[in-house]
């Protein structure tokens, strides 16, 4: 029976298929392996032993040696031994150290909405969990990672951390594991096996090469010259699509002899890696080299439309970008992936991207390419804002989630180069900060943008309002009220009814949450909406209807609340919108519960939970589970109510503040608990509650 009401949130949170509370799947978000795994049996055995014995294991080694691949293979086998999951945090795209904790919290499913320091919340959230955390590619954030990992390990005795980095963290708890190149001597070496696998992936004709003992010996020599470094072997294997093995060996040899890097004294393995990448670079066509350099502005993965917009120009027209990109994929310079059915996405390994960025500097195009990147994603943010209240809402949620790393990079660049564009972009992403679980990050960007930008105009007012929304969810209600007043003044100066309605909503919720529904109704109710005269399908109007419904419920005026909610739901249905519509279902459920229509309340809240699951709205899911528990408790099913409250408790922990500190939400939750305890007794309630909590975590 519990399964009828459970919530699966596989769409929420981070990439890689995160399993949220109540999903029934193994918790975690491990990315798929990008290619077949070759060798490393001894290293895997040792790593499995270390993961059982040590709490902090750092895999070190040169770029391209396979640290991330080895870590992924090692921790994949550890999932069932970790009740609270194995969580992968990719730090390669992260450039702002201040966002490290936010990135880790989001990856593990903590969409914290409190105003407390996020590192404290993350430590508290992990304190009673048994999980394995992987921080991948930390060399540019060593000091910050060392501090955060130290805090987490001290707070959470059941936590194990795996780090991949070109250099150690320098933590006293750290066990270092050097990832060495693959053995490359002999006809059965792991290096040769990998070279063979990548050559066969490039061309079927490569099979004959490795069946001939003489030519196989040449392949062994290629592996030796490449020092057994996996990335170097992959790049060389890809060349067999166009060249013979002998040509690869000859040109690799001549390239090695010509190598001279006067900028830095490199260790042999670093020299080999840079030699191989430089060799691959020389073998590219001029337009491929140009695209390689320009693509280095992307952090994380990207799609072909972004590559076309950012990287075209001069000898590389937009019409040729996709074909040239395909050439780089064929040469293993760029990797092609697919993001949850959203179409092809591309990325470069850090070592290759760094080489491209060096060339972008040589070309003198760093600033102009970074500008184009930032303004492309700023335009994408504006389009997402326009499309949010419409039939493409779920698609926009998924797309902004996929582009998270690029949006960050764009905002960081604009904050330094174009503050007016930064404040416009940060404000346009209001729904992403407010509705999709990025409250801390959103507040950080919005505050920085508002400090830097001119204090006037529509973009400034929009960003003020967006900042107010983030402070609302954090429970910083005094700041929310101040921002509501500021927005009201700015909107009046602009004579913009839509912005006046948004300001009214912000102010109304800021007074409603601590318990003043009368004032909230004055600010957002029908009379206020008529006075502002805004568009009845705009965000401001719809959000004011939502606030009005909440206020009427708090006042016990359930018939009027249901009328507001039905009108809101109808408007959302006409728009094809889901996020606000789900909250309209929530108000209908609260109203039905208040009127004693308990079965109707349960039906409405199930509809609400279905909508919230699609958009990964953890706050909404937590709200809905409390309400569903109250409804089924009123129907007499105390055991199910207790289990739902247990699951709801786990979801509230992922947003940091149970019931958001709201008296009305706390009263509703307590009502469900009282009725459930009365129906089945304290002992049975506690057992069922624990069962719901346990089920929610895997």
């Amino acid at each position: 029976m519990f399964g009828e009401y459970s919530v699966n949130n596989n769409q929420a949170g981070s990439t890689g298929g995160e399993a949220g509370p109540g999903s029934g799947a193994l918790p975690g978000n491990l990315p798929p392996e990008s290619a077949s795994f070759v060798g490393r049996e001894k290293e895997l055995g040792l790593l499995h032993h270390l993961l059982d014995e040590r709490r902090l294991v750092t895999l070190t080694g040169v770029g391209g040696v396979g640290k991330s691949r080895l870590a992924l293979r090692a921790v994949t086998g550890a999932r069932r031994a970790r009740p609270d999951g194995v969580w992968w945090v990719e730090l390669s795209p992260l450039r702002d150290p201040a966002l490290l904790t936010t990135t880790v919290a989001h990856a593990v499913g903590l969409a914290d909405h409190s105003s407390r320091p996020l590192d404290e919340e993350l430590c508290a959230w992990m304190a009673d969990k048994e999980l394995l955390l992987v921080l991948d590619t930390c060399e540019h954030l060593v000091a910050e990672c060392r501090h955060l990992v130290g805090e987490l390990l001290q707070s959470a005795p059941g936590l194990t951390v795996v780090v991949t980095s070109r250099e150690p963290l320098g933590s006293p708890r750290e066990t270092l594991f050097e990832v060495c190149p693959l053995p490359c001597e002999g006809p059965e070496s792991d290096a040769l096996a990998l070279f063979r696998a990548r050559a066969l992936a490039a061309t079927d004709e490569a099979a004959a090469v490795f069946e001939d003992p003489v030519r196989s010996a040449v392949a062994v020599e290629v592996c030796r010259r490449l020092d057994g470094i996996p990335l170097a072997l992959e790049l060389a294997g890809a060349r067999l699509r166009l060249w013979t093995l002998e040509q690869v060996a000859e040109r690799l040899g001549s390239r090695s002899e010509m190598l001279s890097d006067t900028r830095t004294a490199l260790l042999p393995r670093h020299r080999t890696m840079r030699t191989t990448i430089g060799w691959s670079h020389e073998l590219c066509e001029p337009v491929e080299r140009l695209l390689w350099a320009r693509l280095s502005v992307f952090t994380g993965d990207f799609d072909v439309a972004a590559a076309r917009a950012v990287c075209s120009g001069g000898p590389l027209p937009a019409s040729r970008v996709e074909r040239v990109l395909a050439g780089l994929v064929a040469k293993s310079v760029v990797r092609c992936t697919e993001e949850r059915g959203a179409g092809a996405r591309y990325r470069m390994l850090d070592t290759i991207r760094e080489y491209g960025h060096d060339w972008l500097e040589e070309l003198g195009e760093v600033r102009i390419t970074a500008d184009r990147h930032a303004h492309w994603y700023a335009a994408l943010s504006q389009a997402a804002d326009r499309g949010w209240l419409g039939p493409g809402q779920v698609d926009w949620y998924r797309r902004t989630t996929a582009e998270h790393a690029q949006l960050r990079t764009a905002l960081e660049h604009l904050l330094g180069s174009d503050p007016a564009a930064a404040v416009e972009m940060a404000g346009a992403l209001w729904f992403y900060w407010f509705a999709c679980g990025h409250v801390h990050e959103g507040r950080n960007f919005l505050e920085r943008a508002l400090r830097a930008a001119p204090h006037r105009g529509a973009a400034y007012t929009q960003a003020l309002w967006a900042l107010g929304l983030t402070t609302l969810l954090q429970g910083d209600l005094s700041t929310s009220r101040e921002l509501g007043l500021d927005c009201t003044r700015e909107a009046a100066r602009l004579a913009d009814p839509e912005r006046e309605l948004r300001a009214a909503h912000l102010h109304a919720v800021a007074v409603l949450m601590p318990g003043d529904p009368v004032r909230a109704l004055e600010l957002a109710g029908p009379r206020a909406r008529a006075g502002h005269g805004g568009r009845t399908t705009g965000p401001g109007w719809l959000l004011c209807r939502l606030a009005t419904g909440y206020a009427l419920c708090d006042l016990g005026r359930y018939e009027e609340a249901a009328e507001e909610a039905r009108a809101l739901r109808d408007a959302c249905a006409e728009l094809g919108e889901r996020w606000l519509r789900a909250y309209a279902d929530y108000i209908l459920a609260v109203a039905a519960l208040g009127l004693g229509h308990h079965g109707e309340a349960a039906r409405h809240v199930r509809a609400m939970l279905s909508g919230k699951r699609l958009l990964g709205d953890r706050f909404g899911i937590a709200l809905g589970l409390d309400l569903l528990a109250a409804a089924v408790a009123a129907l007499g099913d105390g055991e199910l109510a207790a289990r739902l409250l247990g699951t709801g408790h786990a979801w509230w922990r992922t947003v940091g503040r149970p019931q958001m500190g709201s008296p009305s939400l706390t009263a509703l939750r307590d009502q469900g608990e009282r009725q459930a305890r009365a129906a089945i007794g304290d002992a049975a309630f506690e057992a069922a509650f624990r069962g719901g909590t346990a089920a929610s975590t895997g």
Side-chain angles (χ1 to χ4, degrees):
M1 186 175 185
F2 174 64
E4 180 183 354
Y5 301 104
S6 65
V7 179
N8 185 316
N9 191 40
N10 285 330
Q11 298 292 345
S14 56
T15 60
E18 172 191 332
S23 69
L26 285 171
N29 68 337
L30 292 181
E33 289 195 85
S34 58
S36 59
F37 190 86
V38 175
R40 304 282 197 194
E41 287 82 3
K42 182 178 178 180
E43 291 96 325
L44 284 169
L46 182 54
L47 273 175
H48 289 148
H49 173 73
L50 288 176
L51 293 179
D52 290 336
E53 301 293 330
R54 307 295 174 88
R55 298 189 60 209
L56 173 58
V57 179
T58 299
L59 281 67
T60 62
V62 299
V65 80
K67 299 181 293 294
S68 299
R69 290 290 311 280
L70 180 58
L72 178 58
R73 174 54 65 101
V75 301
T76 298
R79 285 186 295 177
R80 294 197 176 276
R82 311 284 169 164
D84 297 303
V86 179
W87 302 91
W88 188 275
V89 188
E90 183 181 357
L91 296 178
S92 170
L94 184 63
R95 290 294 172 265
D96 182 2
L99 293 175
L100 172 63
T101 305
T102 299
T103 302
V104 175
H106 180 66
V108 301
L110 176 62
D112 180 66
H113 291 171
S114 74
S115 57
R116 288 177 58 192
L118 186 55
D119 55 350
E120 294 180 14
E121 290 290 343
L122 184 59
C123 286
W125 184 81
M126 284 193 179
D128 61 349
K129 290 183 166 52
E130 287 187 52
L131 58 80
L132 195 157
L133 180 69
V134 184
L135 302 182
D136 182 40
T137 313
C138 297
E139 54 266 10
H140 59 305
L141 299 165
V142 166
E144 293 79 13
C145 287
R146 178 173 61 246
H147 175 75
L148 179 60
V149 168
E151 294 290 315
L152 293 174
L153 289 173
Q154 184 173 350
S155 303
L159 172 66
T160 299
V161 179
V162 173
V163 169
T164 72
S165 177
R166 295 181 197 175
E167 60 180 279
L169 295 189
S171 168
R173 302 170 181 257
E174 187 174 34
T175 298
L176 295 180
F177 185 99
E178 184 181 2
V179 181
C180 297
L182 294 171
C184 50
E185 298 297 336
E188 302 298 328
S189 70
D190 287 345
L192 184 61
L194 178 60
F195 183 49
R196 181 192 298 117
R198 298 304 178 259
L200 290 172
T203 173
D204 293 337
E205 296 176 5
V209 170
F210 298 95
E211 294 171 358
D212 181 337
V214 175
R215 303 187 76 195
S216 185
V218 176
V220 171
E221 177 61 17
V222 167
C223 295
R224 188 187 63 76
R225 286 182 182 174
L226 295 176
D227 285 342
I229 297 175
L231 178 55
L233 295 167
E234 292 189 11
L235 291 171
R239 296 309 307 173
L240 294 187
R241 180 180 285 107
L242 300 175
W243 290 355
T244 67
L245 176 64
E246 289 74 16
Q247 287 174 317
V248 169
E250 178 185 353
R251 299 193 185 194
L252 178 60
S254 61
R255 176 68 178 118
S256 297
E257 292 163 7
M258 289 188 300
L259 175 69
S260 175
D261 193 326
T262 59
R263 289 172 298 177
T264 180
L266 298 175
L267 295 173
R269 288 171 186 168
H270 291 275
R271 270 203 309 273
T272 299
M273 191 65 256
R274 190 166 180 86
T275 300
T276 309
I277 295 175
W279 172 67
S280 295
H281 186 263
E282 289 180 0
L283 300 176
C284 289
E285 298 175 10
V287 288
E288 290 177 329
R289 296 179 200 170
L290 181 60
L291 181 58
W292 181 344
R294 290 175 176 174
L295 288 174
S296 69
V297 299
F298 288 95
T299 50
D301 53 48
F302 55 90
D303 62 16
V304 70
R308 191 182 295 117
V310 174
C311 300
S312 61
L316 181 59
S319 59
R320 289 191 63 191
V321 167
E322 188 167 6
R323 187 165 76 252
V324 176
L325 181 60
L328 291 177
V329 171
K331 293 176 175 66
S332 293
V333 172
V334 174
R335 297 190 175 186
C336 180
T337 63
E338 189 167 325
E339 180 79 13
R340 294 182 184 172
R345 295 185 68 81
Y346 303 86
R347 69 178 303 141
M348 286 193 291
L349 294 180
D350 282 352
T351 311
I352 292 176
R353 188 182 62 79
E354 289 161 5
Y355 192 95
H357 200 266
D358 287 347
W359 275 94
L360 195 64
E361 289 179 336
E362 292 286 337
L363 294 170
E365 291 192 4
V366 171
R367 176 60 186 269
I368 190 172
T369 311
D371 284 345
R372 295 184 71 177
H373 174 279
H375 287 288
W376 166 260
Y377 285 102
L380 181 71
S381 301
Q382 296 290 340
D385 183 20
R386 293 190 296 272
W388 177 247
L389 293 183
Q393 187 177 74
V394 173
D395 289 337
W396 277 117
Y397 161 68
R398 291 173 178 162
R399 185 168 184 188
T400 49
T401 297
E403 301 289 8
H404 190 175
Q406 307 299 345
L407 295 171
R408 276 180 170 174
T409 300
L411 269 170
E412 287 289 348
H413 180 75
L414 291 174
L415 282 167
S417 65
D418 190 346
V423 82
E424 186 174 12
M425 180 179 178
L429 287 168
W430 68 271
F431 69 90
Y432 193 57
W433 315 132
F434 180 60
C436 303
H438 299 277
V439 176
H440 277 272
E441 182 175 342
R443 183 168 184 173
N444 174 280
F445 274 125
L446 286 160
E447 287 177 339
R448 291 168 64 193
L450 285 164
R451 283 195 298 268
H455 289 196
R456 62 184 181 277
Y460 175 75
T461 306
Q462 168 75 4
L464 275 181
W465 175 69
L467 178 60
L469 295 179
T470 67
T471 61
L472 271 181
L473 284 184
Q474 290 186 318
D476 187 358
L477 301 181
S478 61
T479 301
S480 302
R481 288 191 293 272
E482 291 174 10
L483 289 167
L485 291 170
D486 290 345
C487 287
T488 300
R489 286 192 293 270
E490 292 298 321
R493 187 175 296 126
L494 294 168
D496 186 334
E498 168 61 23
R499 300 196 187 282
E500 288 176 333
L501 286 166
R502 295 187 189 194
H505 158 262
L506 174 59
H507 196 182
V509 179
V511 300
L512 176 64
M513 286 180 67
D516 190 352
V518 174
R519 177 62 176 147
L521 205 56
E522 291 173 357
L523 290 165
R527 185 175 301 174
R529 296 199 298 270
H532 291 305
R535 188 165 50 92
T536 59
T537 55
W541 186 281
L542 298 175
L543 286 165
C544 279
R545 291 208 93 132
L546 180 66
T548 300
Y550 282 133
L552 289 168
C553 284
D554 282 3
L555 291 168
R557 293 160 60 177
Y558 297 118
E559 297 279 7
E560 294 172 76
E563 183 179 347
E564 284 282 347
R566 281 191 290 270
L568 174 59
R569 188 177 63 176
D570 290 347
C572 292
E574 186 173 344
L575 289 169
E577 195 277 344
R578 293 176 177 269
W579 182 75
L580 274 169
R581 180 178 177 176
Y583 281 120
D585 285 320
Y586 178 84
I587 293 173
L588 286 169
V590 174
L593 191 66
L595 293 169
H597 306 154
H598 306 134
E600 181 183 343
R603 287 193 296 275
H604 284 308
V605 77
R606 284 197 295 272
M608 178 257 197
L609 287 168
S610 177
K612 291 306 172 190
R613 177 184 63 81
L614 282 171
L615 293 165
D617 185 348
R618 293 173 174 272
F619 171 60
I621 290 169
L623 273 179
L625 288 168
D626 278 358
L627 181 54
L628 185 55
V632 298
L635 288 168
D637 194 337
E639 181 179 358
L640 176 57
R643 289 178 65 84
L644 288 166
L645 287 170
T647 302
H649 175 72
W651 280 98
W652 278 116
R653 289 192 65 191
T654 72
V655 298
R657 297 179 62 240
Q659 289 74 47
M660 304 301 291
S662 165
S664 60
L665 295 179
T666 302
L668 178 67
R669 189 255 174 226
D670 291 347
Q671 172 189 331
E673 178 173 343
R674 283 194 304 273
Q675 289 183 305
R677 286 184 183 275
I680 62 174
D682 290 343
F685 176 90
E686 296 293 345
F689 183 91
R690 286 194 300 271
T693 303
S696 73
T697 55

